[in-house]
Amino acid sequence: MKKNNTLKNMILNKRFQLIALIIIPVIIISAYLLIQKYINKSVNNINESFQQNQYDNVQKYNTKLGLLKICLKNEKDIYQNIEYKVKYSSAILMFNNGFYDSALEELQQIQSKDETIINKIDDCNYKIGKQYLENENYEKALLYLEPLTNKYDTNDLLDTIYYNYTLNYLENKNYIAALQEIQKIKNKEYNDLKNIKKQIHYELGKDYFLKGNYSEAIIELTSCKDYQDSNSYYNIAYMAKAEELFKNDKYYEAKNIYDIIPEETEYKGIKAGDRKKSLNNISDILESIFNLEGIVYFSAFNDFSSLQEYCNSTIISKRIDIKNIKKIPTTFSIDENTKLLYSKGIFSIKYSKKDNYSTSFYNLYNSSVTY
C-alpha cells in the first residue's frame, strides 16, 4: 500500500515539474511582452503629448523614469530622449507656477542639455536672482544674475546690486572696496553715480591725508577737486609733499610744486607765500656760479702702532677747492681717504684710512700692556 502511494506521489511531482517547465517560461514571456508593451506605450505617450505641448501628461512619467531607465538600459538614446521630455515638461509646469528653484533642479538633471534647456536654465536663474534682489539679498542675487550679463534686463539689475554694495562699503568706510564696486556699474547715469564717486574719492583722499600719505591723497583728491572742501585738502597735501622735498634739499622740485599752490595755503604754521619767497631766494643762489674754497680740520684715530697711540686722536687738515659750481654737491672727494658730505645745510667729513693694521693689533694682543 505504501509503495503504491509513493509511486503516485512521484508521478504527481513529475507532472507538476512538467507543468512548471511549460508555464513558467510562458509567464516570463508574457511578463516581458507586457513590460515591453508598457514601455512602448509609455514612450509613444510621452512623444505624442510632448509634441502637442501637453506637459501635464508628460510630467506624470517623472516618477516612472527609474523603471524606464532599467528597461531601456540597452537603448540609452531612447531613454535620454524621454528623460529630456519628461524633465523639461515638469520644469515648464513648475516654472509657470512660480516654483523657479524646483524648475531649475529638474532642468539641471537633464543629461543632454541643448540650447532650449540652457535658455530655460537662464530663465530660472533670472527669476530666482530677481526674487533675491527684491528681498535685498544682494549676495544671493549676484550668484544667479552675474552669469547672465547682457541678457534680459540683467545689466540694470546688476547695476542696482553694485550700487547698493557701493553705498554699503562707503557707509562702513571701506573706500577701496566701494571704488571697486562702483567701477562695475555699466550705466554711468545711474542715480547720482557721479556725485557718489566724487564722495568716495574725497573720503579716501581725506583718509590718506590724515594718515600722512600725501602722494596717495593727491591722486584721490585730484578726481574730486570740485567736491566740498577737497581742493583745500589737495593744496595742503601738495604743500606737505613740497615741504618734504624742501627738507631733503630738493629745492627745484619743491619750487615747482609751490608755483601751483595758492599763497594762502598753510601747513604746520608755514604759509605757502612765505615759503615761495624763501625758495625764490634759494633759487637765485643756486642758479649762480660760485667757487667753494677753504680748509677743513678734523680729528682722526689713525695710528695703530700701539693701543696707547690708537687712543690718541690726530688733528688733520684738508684743503677744499671746488670751482664753477651752481649748487653744493652732496658728496665731494677731497682725496682717496677723505670725502666732504653736505646734507640739509650741514657739512660733514667722512675719513677712512686704508692700512694694514691687523698685524699691529696681533702684536698688541700678544704683548703685555700697562695702564
Side-chain angles (χ1 to χ4, degrees):
M1 195 68 181
K2 288 181 180 180
K3 289 183 179 180
N4 290 334
N5 288 334
T6 302
L7 183 61
K8 285 180 180 180
N9 288 334
M10 290 176 61
I11 292 171
L12 285 172
N13 287 335
K14 286 184 178 180
R15 285 179 179 176
F16 281 129
Q17 289 175 2
L18 182 62
I19 291 170
L21 288 172
I22 295 171
I23 291 176
I24 290 173
V26 170
I27 292 172
I28 292 172
I29 292 170
S30 298
Y32 173 79
L33 292 173
L34 286 172
I35 292 171
Q36 197 63 40
K37 183 178 179 182
Y38 171 77
I39 291 169
N40 291 336
K41 184 179 179 181
S42 297
V43 171
N44 289 333
N45 285 341
I46 290 169
N47 288 331
E48 289 175 8
S49 297
F50 187 82
Q51 191 173 6
Q52 296 172 18
N53 296 329
Q54 296 175 354
Y55 300 124
D56 280 324
N57 292 334
V58 180
Q59 70 89 26
K60 292 176 183 177
Y61 289 91
N62 206 354
T63 57
K64 302 177 179 66
L65 282 176
L67 175 63
L68 292 171
K69 185 176 183 179
I70 294 171
C71 296
L72 294 170
K73 65 180 180 180
N74 296 323
E75 298 178 87
K76 290 184 178 180
D77 291 341
I78 294 176
Y79 174 73
Q80 285 185 1
N81 181 263
I82 63 169
E83 180 200 47
Y84 175 102
K85 292 173 180 176
V86 171
K87 291 292 182 184
Y88 180 77
S89 299
S90 181
I92 288 293
L93 293 172
M94 292 173 178
F95 184 90
N96 291 341
N97 286 287
F99 301 111
Y100 307 119
D101 288 288
S102 300
L104 180 61
E105 188 178 344
E106 289 292 305
L107 292 166
Q108 288 173 336
Q109 291 178 22
I110 297 174
Q111 295 180 35
S112 54
K113 296 180 179 66
D114 57 12
E115 189 175 353
T116 301
I117 300 301
I118 292 170
N119 287 335
K120 204 63 191 173
I121 288 175
D122 286 348
D123 291 343
C124 291
N125 283 326
Y126 171 77
K127 290 290 187 180
I128 296 169
K130 196 171 181 180
Q131 284 181 336
Y132 278 123
L133 178 58
E134 289 168 355
N135 293 321
E136 297 184 0
N137 189 335
Y138 302 120
E139 186 176 356
K140 283 286 186 72
L142 200 60
L143 289 175
Y144 288 95
L145 295 174
E146 204 164 34
L148 305 177
T149 305
N150 299 324
K151 198 168 186 180
Y152 317 105
D153 61 339
T154 308
N155 288 343
D156 294 335
L157 299 180
L158 287 172
D159 282 351
T160 301
I161 294 172
Y162 298 141
Y163 182 77
N164 280 282
Y165 269 140
T166 298
L167 295 181
N168 182 59
Y169 284 129
L170 178 58
E171 185 179 350
N172 288 285
K173 299 182 179 181
N174 190 344
Y175 306 122
I176 293 176
L179 276 178
Q180 290 172 344
E181 291 301 320
I182 205 169
Q183 296 295 341
K184 297 176 184 177
I185 299 175
K186 292 193 173 183
N187 180 10
K188 302 307 176 184
E189 303 301 321
Y190 188 92
N191 287 359
D192 56 342
L193 190 67
K194 291 180 180 178
N195 201 46
I196 293 294
K197 193 171 184 179
K198 287 180 181 180
Q199 185 182 351
I200 297 169
H201 283 295
Y202 170 76
E203 295 293 350
L204 182 57
K206 194 166 70 170
D207 188 56
Y208 280 134
F209 177 87
L210 295 173
K211 291 176 180 176
N213 191 342
Y214 301 117
S215 295
E216 293 296 332
I218 290 167
I219 293 171
E220 297 303 325
L221 294 168
T222 301
S223 302
C224 59
K225 290 178 71 175
D226 58 341
Y227 184 85
Q228 294 187 8
D229 59 344
S230 59
N231 203 39
S232 297
Y233 280 106
Y234 173 84
N235 290 328
I236 297 170
Y238 243 132
M239 185 172 173
K241 189 175 180 181
E243 281 299 298
E244 190 176 325
L245 293 168
F246 181 82
K247 289 178 182 178
N248 288 293
D249 301 333
K250 296 181 179 179
Y251 303 120
Y252 288 109
E253 293 91 333
K255 185 177 181 300
N256 288 336
I257 293 176
Y258 269 109
D259 284 342
I260 62 172
I261 297 175
E263 293 193 358
E264 63 273 12
T265 306
E266 188 171 333
Y267 172 71
K268 290 186 176 180
I270 303 169
K271 289 186 177 180
D274 295 337
R275 182 63 81 198
K276 280 184 181 183
K277 292 176 184 177
S278 300
L279 283 168
N280 287 333
N281 293 333
I282 292 172
S283 178
D284 292 339
I285 295 171
L286 292 177
E287 287 176 1
S288 62
I289 297 174
F290 61 95
N291 298 331
L292 186 62
E293 300 174 346
I295 299 174
V296 294
Y297 297 90
F298 58 93
S299 298
F301 299 89
N302 57 0
D303 190 343
F304 304 100
S305 60
S306 67
L307 186 60
Q308 183 176 359
E309 291 299 326
Y310 175 69
C311 292
N312 294 323
S313 63
T314 304
I315 302 297
I316 297 175
S317 63
K318 299 283 183 178
R319 181 167 184 79
I320 300 170
D321 191 5
I322 312 174
K323 296 185 179 297
N324 299 324
I325 57 174
K326 284 190 174 182
K327 66 177 181 176
I328 301 171
T330 55
T331 303
F332 177 76
S333 294
I334 299 173
D335 56 34
E336 63 176 349
N337 298 325
T338 316
K339 287 184 178 180
L340 178 69
L341 307 178
Y342 178 75
S343 177
K344 298 180 181 179
I346 299 173
F347 287 100
S348 60
I349 290 289
K350 182 178 182 181
Y351 178 74
S352 57
K353 183 179 178 182
K354 295 180 180 179
D355 194 4
N356 185 17
Y357 50 82
S358 59
T359 304
S360 299
F361 272 114
Y362 177 78
N363 292 332
L364 284 171
Y365 178 77
N366 285 282
S367 63
S368 59
V369 180
T370 302
Y371 294 94

